[in-house]
Every structure is written in structure tokens, then in C-alpha cells.
Amino acid sequence: MAARGHVQDPNDRRLRPIYDYLDNGNNKMAIQQADKLLKKHKDLHCAKVLKAIGLQRTGKQDEAFALAQEVTTLEPTDDNSLQALTILYREMHRPELVTKLYEAAVKKVPLSEEYHSHLFMAYARVGEYKKMQQAGMALYKIVPKNPYYFWSVMSLVMQAISAQDDKLAQTMFLPLAERMVEKMVKEDKIEAEAEVQLYFMILERLGKCVEALEVIRGPLGEKLTSELQSRERKCMMLYRRLERWPECNALAHKLLLKNPDDWQFYPAYFDSLFQLVDTAWSPPDDGEHCPEGPVHHSVADVVRFVEERIRGEEGKESRSLRGPFLARLELMQRLRERGCPEESMLGEPLDLMVQFFQKFGDKPCCITDLKIYLHLLSPDQHVQFINRLSDGVPLGERDGEAPAFPEDTKALQRHLCVCQLSRALGLPHHALDPDGKLRLIAELKAHYRHGLKFGKNTLKMELQFSDMYCLMAAHVYIDLWAETGDQSMAWRCLGLLQEGLSHSSSNAQFKLLLLLLYCRLGAFEPVVDLYSSLDAKHVQHDTIGFLLTRYAEPLGQFAAASQSCNFSLRFFHSNQKDTSEYIIQAYKYGAFEKIPEFIALRNRLNQSLHFAQVRTERMLLDLLLEADIVLSLEESVKAMSLSAEEDDIPWDSLRDNRDLTVFTNWDPKERQLSDDQRRRSLEEESVWLRIRSLTLRLVAALAALGHTASRQNSETSNENGVGDKTAVLGGLLAQLNQTLQTAAQLAEKRTQFPFLGPPSTRLAAALSSGSCQCQAAALQLSVHLQELETAGLDESSELQTQICNSFKSLVVQLQENLIFFVETVSLVLWVSSFCAKILRPLKSTLQKKKKKKKETQTAPPPVLCGFQELTASVQELLGQTLEHIRAQEVAVTTVKLAGLTLEGNSQEEASFTKAATEKVQSSYLRSLQELGELLKKRAETIKTLKI
């Protein structure tokens, strides 16, 4: 609200108090002040719009919209009104209305540069690329400035990117954009780097790599100065595309001579070498090898070059650079993959890695550098390798049985690196028996606590030097828990991580592992604060958000589950608006190459598997908590704008954006997540999402039928589209049954994921407990009831018997299913409510017929008796469940979880473990209370189902 234009309007002084109230969040006072002003100045359009903003922010959207439209129809041209309306429509998420606003303003003031540029940006918000192109050219004609011209060019490129037909992009949009830029080049009007970048982007998309190379190497390329080595990187990319391997090799060689630590050019250098070797390229007899300089076309040349760089580093007085040493290991790996005998020219991998450790072992990055080359060692070299590294770690004297400790942070880092490499090789962590692992944990904890003295003066937000010892000990505890099934290992692990977090409050790995452990132990309450303290930023809500939302509802924390889903959805919903703003800023500052990246990010998030899951689960959760409790099922579905016919999940383009490597992991490759397990996880997630989505749409279809049943009788129902709605319900049920068959086949495979891998879905539990089958049977019942409504009670004895059997079967299935009991019983009650709506009119019609015929007392139709038995049985079942929950609450309150785990722990460790177990105990109680409260509300709704 701060930017309110530069026009010195005499009304500005009158409007200022309203602006101030809105800026300070005092919307009611802003409305009052606007009303006062409008009494004196009825035609002050801006005051009306500011009042509308106040109304919008106080939840009176309809009034705000009506007031805004009143001003919009007058087609205002004053800057204050236009900007205020822009803000209002943006808050209403109606950016398309801003375009109409400025279209009218431009017609009235055709020579205004400001209004034309606002119109362009309004089109950018809604992605109207063709209109953007036209608006850009109109602006350039009024004010011939280069940026405006190139706005139009970029809009042509965006039409090409967004075109469904690639042929149209290649034959019309991009060639036109190229001609427009060439015109400026010929007229020598290219001024800015952004314009050259755009020209390069167009040529690149047209596949004109030779022309693009000429531009980069010519005078226009001299304008590329904002990024370091921008020209060189672009040349390298083009050489690779054109397969000009001599030039690629020579350029990489030249750049590595300047900076031997610049890793981005080593892969290009090695790739080009092997391409030259494979094609048997040889340099010309006379003259230069190529325009970029000398070419290294043999393995011997490259080995010599790398060795020279290493000798140059070893001869320096200052600290050596890692690049050449890593390049030697990378070259060795590539030579081994190709089976080249020249590998021996580089030496033994064991010696090279020991040398690397001696030089860089005191850097935290040493472990990640060496870890990717460990496979170069043969299995019988592993112990020798670790022993040689250990010999290079300076440790103090042993004090009795205590291990020898490092005496400074550099020695600590070296020792830590050896421990991590040892675990990565499976020595000795995975080979030890349980007692050996407990001794290893004790040693790691001793090292951790000793290392804390080096971090006494660190800032509160900084990590401790010895944190990795603590994390490694936690991983060994998890190994023990998995191998022995001894849950006390999990409790001890919780205590250790809580201790680590008390010394290093910003350690994300501690928090992530705690989050996972609490969830695996069934306690969600502590997880919310842990995830919140991670302070996940922007796209991380998509990449790691699944760790939070996966467990919330299954662990019975419905309020927290709703909060977690909202947290994720806020990010996804704001993405659309935010991306538009990023695109506008990119246009303003000429960062054209970023615009397609922003579009790609938006698409990636819109197609996110996690987004689809959270959206679906959130709506199911809202129905679970509110439908037929706060609002009727029909009103709840209507409030969500939920349609049974529409499937808004992009199944063909769903993307798995989960970061499954977020946990620090030193396990050997065979114990880590495999590509096959990743694929299985995605397959499982997709099938589970399809089941949940179909369930949601079936509930929406049920609500639509229920709404009609309550308004229409059986004679007129088919005329009012009920037949279509029944067909939709039947079609969705068929899809659900088919998906359940696929799910059953998938569940039979029983895929096991590593502890630090992706969490399994609820699919296997839902199928084995009979929950999915029970829900499908309940929904199928609604179709039979629809048939009964059409047939009537007199001519439907077989159908009534079938329905009665379904009623009895539902109760049996419910009794066998306790895992998903709350959700399934809610769905059964929604179906029962629908049944009641169908059966009441049928019973009423039957009674009227009896009165007319003056019949003596006859037995009621079996379907009515069956329904009464169903409601009575469900009511009894709910009563038993509530009793069971109360008993569980008493049990959780009285059990002393902490007392089970403190044996053998020091007093300090015991205090952290006790605090963790108390959190778990509190979470269990909270879950039971929420389950109990929800079931009580459901029990109340049964009383309304009498017919």
C-alpha cells in the first residue's frame, strides 16, 4: 500500500488517513473513515475502492466486490483508484479483472507510458502472451525504448514455449522473434546484456547453434559481463551440442590452466578426451589444433596435465586446492569404467585416497569427496585403507579404559572423517554383534561429549564440531532397533538426539531424525514443533513436507493434521501468485532467461504428487471433522466446491518432488535406497492417491444424490438428472474396485524400504484391515438404495434381501476394522444418512397405502427392519469403541514409559530420555482424546437416522 503513485492529487491529503489505517491493519477504522469521506465527496472513486479493500480484509467479499465493480464500470483513469483496484483484485485472486481495468484506461489515455506498462504487467500476471506482445509493441511505438521492444520479443518466445504445437513454435513464433532481434542488431541498437541473452535464447531454441556461437564469440558476446565466465560456459555448451570435441577440449584445458580448482570444466575436459579417442582424432600436420588452442587428444596428455596441476599445488606454500586431486580420482574412475590400461599411470587408488585424506582430512567436505570413489577399492583393501587413515589421525594419550581423544578441532575432523568412511564401507558398524554395537555407541558418545569443549564459545545458532558423532551413534541405535526389535534402543536414541539438540539447537539432521523416530513410535504431538523449527523455506514444503503430512491423520491428531495440510497448501496456493510477480520482476529488470525457469517451477509445483496428496487428504479430513457435525454432508461438499464428475489431478504428468536423500546417510550402497525401491514407492503413492481421490469423489457423488433425494420423490427424480448422478456414482465405484485390485497386487509384493528411505503409504494396512473393502461396500449400498427408490417397496423383495445382507455385512466389517475405524464409520454413517433420506418417503408412502386399504397390521418390509438393526448395531459398536478408548487413556496415564528405558543410562542421559518419553506419552493421550471426541460427535448423529 506504500506505493500510491506520483500524481499530486489534492484528494491525496484526504485519503492519507485511510491508507494509514489499511497499512496498520485497522480495517474497521479504514471503512469508517472512507464512509465519512464519501458523505462529503460522493464521486471520490478511490475512497470507495479503499473501503472495498477494508471490507475484503474483514471477510465481506461480496460487498467489496460489488463496490469495486461499481467503480470499475465508471472506467477510472486516476492513478490512485487504478492502483487501489489492482491491490483489491490481487487480494481477491482475480488478476484477470486488472487487465480490463487498464484496457479501459489505455483507451481513454492512449499516450500514457505508465498505463501501457501497467497493462503489459497485468497481461503478464494472467499469462496472456499474445496480448503482452501487442501491448509491448504499442508501448514501444509511444516511447521507443529498447526494453519495451524486447518485452514484445520475449512475449513471442513465451508463446513458443507455451504452444501445444511444437511445429508452430519452430516455424512461426521463434523465427519472428529472431527477425525482430536481427533488425535491432542490423540497426546497431542492441544496448544491454539482457538483449544479447534473449537473442542467444532464441537461437538456442531454434537449434541454430552455429549462429549462437558466432553471437557469443562476436562483439555482442562482449556484453555478457554479469556472470563470471558466462561466455566461456555458453561456448562450452554449444561445442558439446555441435560435437566439436577438439574445441571443447582446448577451451576446457585453457580454463583449467587459469583456475585448476574450477570443477565444472573437468567433466567437459574428460568427456571430450574420450570422444576424441573413440573417433581417433589427430591434429593437423601444420597450424593450430583448433581456434581455441592446443588439444589433448590422448590419455597420456590428460594424465600428464592432471599430474602437472597436482605438482603445482604441492609446490605451493599456501593451502592446496582440492580440484586437481579430485580430478585424478575422477579420471581413474572413468578409465576403469572403460577398461583402459592407462589407469595404472595414475597410481593405486588406495594410495591416492590416503594422500587426499592427508591433505584435506581436516575439512568437513573430505568425507563427501572420498565417499563417491570408495568403490575403486577392492573389498580386501577396506581394512587396510581405514588403518592407514587412522595412522594419520593425531590423538592424545588413552586414559585407562577411555578412548584416545583428538586434542584440537582439526584432529577431531580427521577422526570424524575416518569414522564416517568406516561406516560407509560397512566397517565395523554393520559387522558387529549387538554387544559390540553398544560398545561402539559408548565410544561415539564419549567422542561427542569430549568434542563439546571445542564449541563452548560458538554462537547459539552454530553447530557443534562433534555433532556427527552424536548422529552416527543415533544411526547405530536405529540399526540395533531394526535388528533386535528391542524398542528400548529407540527410546535411548530419542534421548541422545534430544541431548544433541540441547547443545546444537539448529542441527537440522537431529530434528529430521527425531521427527522420523517420534512418528515411527506413533507420537505426532512433538513433531509439529520440530518441523516448525526446521524453518522450511519455499520449495522445501514440497520436497520434505511429506515427512510431516504423511503421519498426522493416521496417528489420530486431527487438529494437527489439518494445520499441517494448511501449512503445505498455503505454499502451493501462493506459488501461482508469487510466480506471476517473479515473472513481472524479470521483465522489469531484463532477466529474460529466468522467465522460462519460473514457468517450469510453477508447472513442477502444480504437478506435484505431494500437492495432490495434501489437497485430497485435507478435503477428506475436513469432511471427517465437519460433515454431519458442523454442517450437513451436502453443505460441506458445496462449501469445498467439490465435484464428483471432475478429476483435477494431472495423473499423466504427476511429479515426485520428494527429497528422499534429505537424511545424512553413511550406509554402504547395498543398504541404501535403490532405484527400484524409489520406483515402487512412487507406484504405491500413486495408487493410494487414486484410492483416496476416488473415495473423495464418491462422497461428493453421494452428497449430490442425497441433496436430490431430500428434494424430490421417486416419480420425478429421473427427470431431474438423478439418473445421471447415479451413473456417475456407479462409474466411480467401478474405478475404485479396479484400483483396489491393482492395489492388492501391489501390496502382495510387500516392498520394504530402508529406515531412512520413503515412509510406506497406508495402503497395505487399509487393505489388510478391510477398511477399503468396507468403504467400497458402503458406497455400493447407496446404488442399491437408489434402485430400491425406483422399484418401490412392493416389487423389490430380492433387492431388499440383498440390501439387508449388505447392512449385516457392514457391521461385521466394521468390527474387524479398527485401524481406520473412525474414517470408515464416518463414511458408513454418511451412507446411512442417505439411506434414511431414501427410506423415509418410501415408508411414508407405504403407510398411506395401508390407511387407504384399511389393512390390518402386517409385517414391515425387511429393508426397514434391516436399516434399524444397522443403526442400532453401529450405535452399540461406537459405545464399545468409546469404552475401549477410555480404557486405553487410563492405561497410557498409568504406564511409566520412562522407567522402562533408564536402565544402564547415566543420570544426564536418563533425564533427556525421560523428557522424550513424556512427550510420547502426552501425544498418545492427545490422540486418544481427539479420537474419543470425534466418535462421540458421530454417535450423536446416529440419533437423527430414525425413519
Side-chain angles (χ1 to χ4, degrees), residues 173-296:
F173 297 127
L174 289 172
L176 179 56
E178 183 190 10
R179 286 198 298 275
M180 286 179 72
V181 180
E182 281 175 352
K183 177 176 178 287
M184 298 296 273
V185 173
K186 285 172 186 172
E187 294 173 6
D188 197 23
K189 288 184 179 177
I190 298 288
E191 297 170 356
E193 179 183 359
E195 295 157 16
V196 181
Q197 291 272 22
L198 181 53
Y199 191 22
F200 176 79
M201 191 198 303
I202 293 165
L203 293 171
E204 189 189 3
R205 287 183 178 275
L206 280 166
K208 295 187 173 182
C209 295
V210 176
E211 291 87 340
L213 196 58
E214 287 171 5
V215 169
I216 298 301
R217 295 179 64 185
L220 286 177
E222 292 171 10
K223 294 184 185 292
L224 300 173
T225 56
S226 66
E227 289 182 37
L228 204 62
Q229 296 176 322
S230 175
R231 288 180 82 180
E232 289 83 354
R233 281 190 286 105
K234 282 181 167 56
C235 282
M236 186 77 77
M237 181 187 73
L238 292 168
Y239 285 143
R240 292 180 78 134
R241 282 200 185 174
L242 292 165
E243 297 187 0
R244 291 190 184 177
W245 301 114
E247 285 91 340
C248 185
N249 182 281
L251 179 58
H253 165 234
K254 188 164 64 178
L255 291 165
L256 288 169
L257 278 172
K258 283 184 187 175
N259 182 4
D261 203 39
D262 198 336
W263 185 259
Q264 64 178 323
F265 298 120
Y266 278 111
Y269 182 50
F270 296 145
D271 289 342
S272 59
L273 160 70
F274 294 121
Q275 291 287 346
L276 293 170
V277 169
D278 291 343
T279 55
W281 183 88
S282 59
D285 295 333
D286 54 350
E288 285 189 342
H289 287 188
C290 74
E292 292 289 356
V295 178
H296 290 171

Side-chain angles (χ1 to χ4, degrees), residues 430-447:
H430 302 297
L432 293 171
D433 62 7
D435 288 337
K437 285 183 177 174
L438 286 171
R439 286 194 295 275
L440 175 63
I441 288 169
E443 189 178 324
L444 288 169
K445 288 199 286 193
H447 274 282

Side-chain angles (χ1 to χ4, degrees), residues 273-322:
L273 160 70
F274 294 121
Q275 291 287 346
L276 293 170
V277 169
D278 291 343
T279 55
W281 183 88
S282 59
D285 295 333
D286 54 350
E288 285 189 342
H289 287 188
C290 74
E292 292 289 356
V295 178
H296 290 171
H297 62 284
S298 71
V299 174
D301 286 342
V302 172
V303 169
R304 189 164 51 251
F305 174 77
V306 172
E307 293 290 358
E308 283 171 5
R309 303 284 72 72
I310 288 171
R311 281 195 294 276
E313 292 304 313
E314 287 175 336
K316 280 165 50 175
E317 290 183 11
S318 57
R319 179 128 195 184
S320 300
L321 300 171
R322 289 156 48 228

